[in-house]
């Protein structure tokens, strides 16, 4: 029996009702496809950062999900209905949305929420209730380890940041670094922890560690100190709003050394906000939209035609996530939450637009990152 069964088993009269709620989910509708096989139908909950300062993340994620959903339903093997809730990037709102979705017996699984900060409160609740949940942008350390029902297909900082730093060291013969990070967010704090650990392991001298907070607009004090110390690289863990402003102010102060960014920088919004100041930013990602791969180019074309802009990594990860979940529904044979969780855990060598993807024993990512740099206003492969 699953962990949540054991937890609820201690209750008496109410336990059977809770079990029904926890284990329920839309069952196979009984419809037949063209080959006479049963078509699995399910509601999939989505918790996304749709309103607020980080809404570009949520927009990209929901766009990717909606495009994948149209394609999946058109194929006819699985019928998915997306039930989308806005978290506004807030823990309490994300938790309220999650509870609403989990209390619906028709919701088989949840995609999201967007931020690791949100997943830290939503993940345990989903695990407790036996609801499979998959983060498409939650890259902080320890997310899948929250519980056996918690997965992610987003490349964790623990894989991405060291790959970026390695490339930067190789290219610039870097020896000294300054680190700058947001200290009031789980995601950016986790990115800093990874940066510091990677820098120490690679023998880099850390000249200074500077902090800031979400919504901050003036970074003069931090950047003045960094400039005086003359680092070879600046390692920065920030969401795109703060990150873009930091780079813009740094360049205006005459700081021209390369930035190595965490996952929050992997957005076209950085280029949109910072302009030429974004040039030289190095990041690692599973997504590269100019990759010479037919599956990738087909996705980019369809996304541009539908939304009028190029997809970023958040759109791509969400797109692949729904396909991974659709495959799990198909393999499970119905929309039972436990069966779908088990099918997700068995995902190996899934061939998506991000490349070959598998879950490890913890529900974490197994794949190779690509290191990119912003050059002349666009992301390109960092050679």
């Amino acid at each position: 029996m699953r962990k949540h069964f054991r937890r609820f088993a201690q209750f008496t009269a109410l336990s059977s009702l809770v079990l029904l709620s926890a284990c329920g989910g839309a069952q196979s509708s009984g419809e037949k496809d063209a080959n006479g096989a049963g078509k699995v139908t399910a509601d999939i909950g989505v918790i996304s950062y749709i309103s607020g300062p980080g809404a570009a993340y949520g927009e990209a994620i929901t766009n990717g999900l909606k495009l994948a959903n149209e394609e999946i339903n058109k194929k006819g093997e699985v019928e998915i209905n997306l039930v989308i809730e806005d978290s506004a990037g807030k823990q309490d709102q994300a938790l309220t949305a999650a509870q609403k979705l989990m209390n619906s017996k028709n919701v088989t699984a949840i995609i999201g929420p967007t931020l690791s900060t949100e997943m830290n409160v939503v993940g345990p609740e989903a695990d407790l209730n036996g609801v499979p949940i998959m983060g498409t942008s939650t890259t902080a350390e320890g997310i899948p380890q929250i519980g056996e029902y918690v997965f992610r297909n987003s490349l964790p900082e623990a894989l991405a940041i060291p790959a970026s730093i390695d490339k930067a060291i190789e290219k610039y013969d870097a020896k000294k670094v300054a680190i700058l990070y947001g200290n009031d967010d789980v995601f950016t704090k986790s990115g800093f922890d990874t940066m510091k650990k990677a820098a120490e392991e690679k023998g880099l001298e850390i000249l200074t560690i500077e902090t800031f907070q979400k919504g901050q607009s003036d970074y003069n004090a931090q950047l003045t100190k960094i400039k005086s110390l003359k680092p070879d690289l600046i390692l920065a863990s920030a969401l795109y709003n703060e990150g873009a402003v930091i780079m813009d102010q740094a360049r205006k102060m005459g700081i021209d050394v390369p930035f190595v960014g965490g996952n929050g920088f992997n957005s076209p919004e950085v280029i949109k906000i910072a302009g030429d100041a974004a040039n030289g930013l190095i990041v690692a990602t599973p997504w590269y939209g100019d990759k010479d791969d037919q599956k990738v180019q087909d996705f980019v074309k369809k996304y541009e035609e539908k939304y009028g802009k190029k997809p970023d990594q958040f759109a791509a990860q969400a797109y692949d996530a729904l396909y991974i979940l659709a495959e799990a529904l198909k393999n499970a044979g119905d929309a039972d939450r436990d069966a779908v969780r088990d099918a997700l855990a068995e995902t190996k060598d899934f061939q998506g637009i991000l490349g070959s993807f598998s879950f490890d024993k913890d529900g974490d990512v197994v794949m190779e990152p690509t290191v990119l740099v912003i050059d002349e206003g666009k992301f390109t492969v960092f050679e």
Side-chain angles (χ1 to χ4, degrees):
M1 281 194 172
R2 294 275 172 220
K3 169 172 51 182
H4 66 285
F5 280 109
R6 295 198 299 270
R7 286 170 176 163
F8 289 133
Q10 61 186 290
F11 293 95
T12 55
L14 292 178
S15 64
S16 60
L17 295 177
V18 178
L19 281 169
L20 287 171
S21 173
C23 304
Q27 300 300 308
S28 177
S29 67
E31 295 178 39
K32 302 293 182 180
D33 62 20
N35 298 316
K39 180 169 67 174
V40 180
T41 65
D43 285 357
I44 301 300
V46 177
I47 307 169
S48 196
Y49 193 163
I50 297 171
S51 62
Y57 293 130
E59 179 186 16
I61 289 167
T62 52
N63 284 350
L65 291 172
K66 289 174 182 177
L67 182 56
N69 194 39
E70 289 178 9
E71 296 172 3
I72 290 165
N73 288 351
K74 189 174 181 180
K75 290 179 180 179
E77 294 179 315
V78 175
E79 182 76 23
I80 290 174
N81 175 48
L82 296 177
V83 184
I84 299 174
E85 300 285 341
D86 180 17
S87 71
K90 299 175 181 177
Q91 283 185 323
D92 57 348
Q93 194 163 320
L95 183 57
T96 298
Q99 289 167 337
K100 177 182 176 182
L101 293 168
M102 286 185 278
N103 286 334
S104 170
K105 67 178 181 179
N106 292 323
V107 171
T108 299
I110 295 173
I111 289 178
T114 303
L115 302 179
S116 298
T117 310
E118 300 170 301
M119 185 63 94
N120 274 350
V121 296
V122 172
E125 190 82 359
D127 190 56
L128 180 67
N129 285 282
V131 181
I133 187 166
M134 190 188 332
T136 70
S137 55
T138 47
T139 58
E141 187 174 356
I143 293 295
Q145 288 75 25
I146 288 172
E148 62 182 354
Y149 284 79
V150 183
F151 300 82
R152 67 172 163 200
N153 79 318
S154 48
L155 190 73
E157 300 278 52
L159 290 179
I161 288 172
S164 296
I165 294 175
D166 280 340
K167 281 283 190 179
I169 292 172
E170 180 183 345
K171 177 76 172 181
Y172 301 111
D173 192 28
K175 301 288 194 301
K176 303 175 295 180
V177 300
I179 304 179
L180 185 60
Y181 77 99
N183 65 353
D184 60 345
D185 181 87
V186 169
F187 168 69
T188 52
K189 174 64 168 60
S190 176
F192 157 71
D193 290 339
T194 301
M195 286 175 173
K196 183 173 182 290
K197 180 180 178 183
E200 290 171 344
E201 288 178 346
K202 298 173 193 306
L204 296 172
E205 180 184 358
I206 300 174
L207 301 173
T208 186
I209 296 173
E210 302 295 319
T211 64
F212 61 87
Q213 296 182 329
K214 280 189 285 189
Q216 188 169 324
S217 59
D218 183 359
Y219 301 90
N220 182 70
Q222 294 94 328
L223 292 173
T224 297
K225 182 174 181 180
I226 288 172
K227 182 180 180 181
S228 70
L229 295 172
K230 299 180 180 180
D232 299 318
L233 300 171
I234 298 173
L235 312 183
S237 181
L239 300 179
Y240 67 76
N241 283 301
E242 292 79 14
V245 174
I246 287 168
M247 292 195 69
D248 181 57
Q249 291 184 11
R251 300 314 185 207
K252 287 175 179 174
M253 290 176 63
I255 299 173
D256 58 4
V257 301
F259 275 76
V260 176
N263 193 56
F265 274 98
N266 285 348
S267 171
E269 293 296 310
V270 173
I271 301 170
K272 183 178 177 181
I273 296 169
D276 290 343
N279 289 332
L281 172 66
I282 302 163
V283 295
T285 172
W287 168 249
Y288 179 49
D290 291 328
K291 186 177 180 180
D292 186 17
D293 181 289
Q294 192 61 50
K295 188 178 290 187
V296 170
Q297 293 311 309
D298 287 346
F299 168 68
V300 171
K301 181 180 178 182
K302 286 181 288 189
Y303 191 95
E304 280 192 284
E305 288 175 351
K306 189 170 183 64
Y307 301 113
K309 62 178 73 174
K310 287 184 178 294
D312 62 12
Q313 80 160 64
F314 298 98
Q317 287 174 166
Y319 179 89
D320 262 5
L322 196 63
Y323 267 99
I324 291 168
L325 194 47
E327 188 71 12
L329 283 165
K330 182 176 145 185
N331 291 337
D334 62 33
D336 174 73
R337 290 171 172 177
D338 287 337
V340 171
R341 180 266 162 209
D342 290 345
L344 277 174
E346 293 171 2
T347 299
K348 300 293 180 188
D349 302 321
F350 171 84
Q351 300 300 314
I353 58 173
L354 301 177
S356 180
F357 174 88
S358 302
F359 285 123
D360 68 12
K361 63 181 178 59
D362 293 324
D364 212 346
V365 176
V366 179
M367 70 184 313
E368 291 295 324
T370 299
V371 180
L372 305 178
V373 63
I374 297 178
D375 183 32
E376 296 184 356
K378 68 176 185 177
F379 286 100
T380 61
V381 174
F382 185 47
E383 303 292 351

